[in-house]
Amino acid sequence: MQNRIETEHLILRVLKPTEAVIVAAFYSRNFSDFAKYEPLVRRQSLSTRYQRKVLDLEDRYRKDGKRIRYYMFQKYDPFRTIGTVSFRELDKDGKAATTVGYKVDLEFRRRGFAKESLSALIPIVEREYGVRHIRAEVLTTNRPSQNLLSGLGFKRTALLEGHTKLNGQKLDEYLYVRDD
């Protein structure tokens, strides 16, 4: 799969471990907000050292064909991460399914960057991995993400009660599915 994709406004890139400082800066800028939605966001994620390890692991997963994460950059500022899109549980040899996740820098939300990224990446993942079934799990309180997925042809198929534990509280999520 390509490591760099350009859209109308964005550059989507797979990053190398040597680029961990820009990922750490992305998490530092958005820590308080991401911590509201992600159970695994911890203070350690703010360090360059930690992000270097994450990027190294992501590189291994990508080479094994199991996961891929693209980082979003605006074309005029190719060194400031403004979001990510990841596809996990990829399996070229079987399921033809994946789970998508995404996040956008608080400062850059509601500008269409997530939609632009997903619109570019979904057809590539479908073609290169044979994916025909894409899942997304979204908190029931996250209306912008629900609207994004609906606009991209995803259908809400289930309520996952108590599916996510965040700050000691069990939260409900909706399961969205897009079948080709």
Side-chain angles (χ1 to χ4, degrees), residues 14-167:
V14 174
L15 296 184
K16 302 171 190 152
T18 56
E19 298 174 287
V21 68
I22 59 179
V23 178
F26 170 66
Y27 276 96
S28 292
R29 285 192 311 273
N30 294 281
F31 179 78
S32 297
D33 186 63
F34 290 168
K36 294 178 201 172
Y37 305 104
E38 294 183 61
L40 301 178
V41 173
R42 304 279 187 260
R43 289 252 175 238
Q44 69 184 12
S45 66
L46 306 180
S47 78
T48 300
R49 182 179 179 185
Y50 177 83
Q51 289 302 331
R52 188 175 298 113
K53 289 179 184 178
V54 169
L55 288 170
D56 184 56
L57 186 61
E58 287 178 354
D59 188 51
R60 281 189 257 145
Y61 282 134
R62 181 186 57 79
K63 287 176 181 172
D64 290 342
K66 299 296 182 191
R67 299 181 177 197
I68 192 160
R69 179 183 306 274
Y70 284 89
Y71 291 83
M72 293 178 218
F73 301 87
Q74 289 184 292
K75 283 186 174 179
Y76 69 84
D77 191 358
F79 300 104
R80 182 178 184 195
T81 305
I82 64 164
T84 75
V85 175
S86 65
F87 296 90
R88 63 185 191 273
E89 301 158 5
L90 288 166
D91 183 2
K92 282 187 173 182
D93 301 324
K95 300 180 284 189
T98 189
T99 300
V100 66
Y102 47 88
K103 61 186 120 203
V104 177
D105 189 306
L106 193 55
E107 182 182 336
F108 294 91
R109 289 190 188 151
R110 304 209 180 173
R111 296 188 194 180
F113 293 139
K115 183 175 185 177
E116 188 172 332
S117 297
L118 288 165
S119 294
L121 291 170
I122 286 172
I124 294 169
V125 169
E126 288 174 337
R127 182 178 63 248
E128 296 198 16
Y129 286 90
V131 167
R132 296 290 170 250
H133 182 83
I134 303 173
R135 299 176 302 273
E137 298 164 0
V138 180
L139 289 173
T140 57
T141 56
N142 190 343
R143 296 291 295 155
S145 191
Q146 294 168 36
N147 292 337
L148 168 67
L149 292 169
S150 294
L152 290 169
F154 284 77
K155 304 289 184 226
R156 185 187 313 170
T157 60
L159 171 65
L160 307 171
E161 295 185 45
H163 188 254
T164 293
K165 190 173 182 182
L166 192 58
N167 300 322

